[in-house]
Amino acid sequence: MNFINADLSTVLNRILDAATDNLRIAKILVQMGLDPDNVTYDAIFNRLLEIFLHNITLANMFALVGAIFFVATLLTQTMVPLRVANMIGCAFFAAFGALTGTVTTFLLYLLMVPINAYRLRQMLNLVKMARGATQGDTSMEWLKPFMTERKYRKGDVLFKKDDAAHEMLLTVTGRFLVKEIGVELPPGRLMGELGFLTPDNRRTATIECIEDGHVLTITYEKLLEIYFQNPQFGYYFLVLTSQRLLENIARLEGIIAQNKIAQQAAAAAGGPN
């Protein structure tokens, strides 16, 4: 074992000697305050430690903590903890900029703190509404900040059955008719959410505007983004679509019941007097 250690030490010393013979490396050693003609690994280690300790300042400590939280944002898979880590990291970098007198660094990271806080608030509201869905709260107010407005006039066809589906809509004003089943959609109702779940993303019905109004739209790509950022949204959306399917089933059961009553009445009327 001692023989192996001696050989290893000899090899390392030869590598070090060869490195010091290199002009570039010699210049680096001089800049570090070391003598290229008399350098050892212990001397290099001690000098690096001395440089490290010399540069430990309050500003650099803030920058180091900020860098740690920045790395944490790269490793975080969900959006809420990512925003929290980003806010903390930005706060430490802003403190670094203030202590070093770097105005641009200070202002940049200081402005990023409220921006991340606003986005975090949106995400937390989304999570809150997702949890509320388990208790029957299927309001869509939380989704409006992610949607864009679009206006329609009477007679406009929003989409037809079997059309390719790319977005979901939320009625705000006006009236809209589901032509296949003759059902009017009042303000506050979703349209096109089932196309998001169908395998080929096709429309399941035709929607026509029967009174001027406007809707809010959100693309399926944005819905997927929200889902992957907040997995709770998946359950929330499942509750919404299940509610719509149950309403459709109840409507069909009502139609079937009415048809049976009509058939029985017709049979009774056509029977022997």
Side-chain angles (χ1 to χ4, degrees):
M1 182 64 68
N2 292 333
F3 177 75
I4 295 176
N5 291 335
D7 286 346
L8 181 60
S9 178
T10 301
V11 172
L12 292 176
N13 287 329
R14 288 178 179 176
I15 294 174
L16 185 58
D17 291 338
T20 55
D21 290 337
N22 186 289
L23 183 59
R24 293 181 180 179
I25 296 178
K27 289 181 177 179
I28 294 174
L29 294 174
V30 171
Q31 291 175 355
M32 292 176 57
L34 297 171
D35 182 7
D37 296 328
N38 185 21
V39 61
T40 63
Y41 285 101
D42 288 339
I44 294 176
F45 175 78
N46 292 333
R47 182 53 182 162
L48 291 176
L49 181 61
E50 181 182 348
I51 294 173
F52 175 76
L53 294 176
H54 178 73
N55 286 278
I56 292 181
T57 63
L58 182 60
N60 288 338
M61 290 302 297
F62 275 110
L64 177 61
V65 176
I68 292 173
F69 278 99
F70 177 76
V71 173
T73 63
L74 301 177
L75 300 177
T76 304
Q77 297 181 352
T78 53
M79 205 62 183
V80 171
L82 184 149
R83 291 291 179 186
V84 173
N86 205 316
M87 285 176 58
I88 297 174
C90 288
F92 277 98
F93 277 125
F96 166 77
L99 292 173
T100 57
T102 310
V103 178
T104 53
T105 300
F106 171 72
L107 292 178
L108 172 64
Y109 289 103
L110 185 65
L111 290 174
M112 289 178 66
V113 172
I115 293 174
N116 279 283
Y118 175 72
R119 295 293 293 171
L120 176 62
R121 182 175 179 272
Q122 285 185 321
M123 292 301 131
L124 291 177
N125 285 338
L126 188 150
V127 173
K128 180 180 178 181
M129 297 305 297
R131 291 174 178 170
T134 62
Q135 303 172 357
D137 179 11
T138 55
S139 169
M140 295 297 295
E141 291 295 321
W142 60 272
L143 196 56
K144 289 183 178 180
F146 301 94
M147 307 180 83
T148 56
E149 183 177 345
R150 184 181 300 159
K151 295 182 179 180
Y152 289 99
R153 294 187 178 275
K154 181 179 179 180
D156 290 343
V157 175
L158 281 65
F159 49 79
K160 296 181 180 180
K161 184 178 180 180
D162 294 327
D163 283 351
H166 304 289
E167 60 185 5
M168 183 177 73
L169 303 90
L170 175 67
T171 60
V172 180
T173 62
R175 291 187 301 150
F176 301 87
L177 177 68
V178 184
K179 299 191 67 175
E180 282 77 7
I181 57 178
V183 174
E184 292 187 14
L185 301 178
R189 291 295 300 273
L190 280 179
M191 299 184 294
E193 77 280 9
L194 295 181
F196 179 62
L197 300 177
T198 57
D200 54 354
N201 293 125
R202 295 286 175 178
R203 297 299 185 188
T204 59
T206 301
I207 304 292
E208 180 182 353
C209 178
I210 57 176
E211 181 182 295
D212 292 359
H214 75 276
V215 302
L216 295 175
T217 68
I218 182 171
T219 63
Y220 292 162
E221 288 80 4
K222 187 63 178 179
L223 286 176
L224 283 174
E225 179 183 341
I226 295 174
Y227 169 76
F228 285 113
Q229 291 177 352
N230 297 269
Q232 298 93 335
F233 170 73
Y235 184 79
Y236 185 94
F237 194 80
L238 179 62
V239 171
L240 291 175
T241 52
S242 297
Q243 182 185 53
R244 172 63 62 87
L245 291 174
L246 291 174
E247 290 176 355
N248 291 341
I249 291 173
R251 188 179 296 111
L252 290 173
E253 289 177 344
I255 294 174
I256 293 173
Q258 290 178 358
N259 290 337
K260 285 184 177 179
I261 293 174
Q263 290 175 358
Q264 292 174 357
N273 294 327

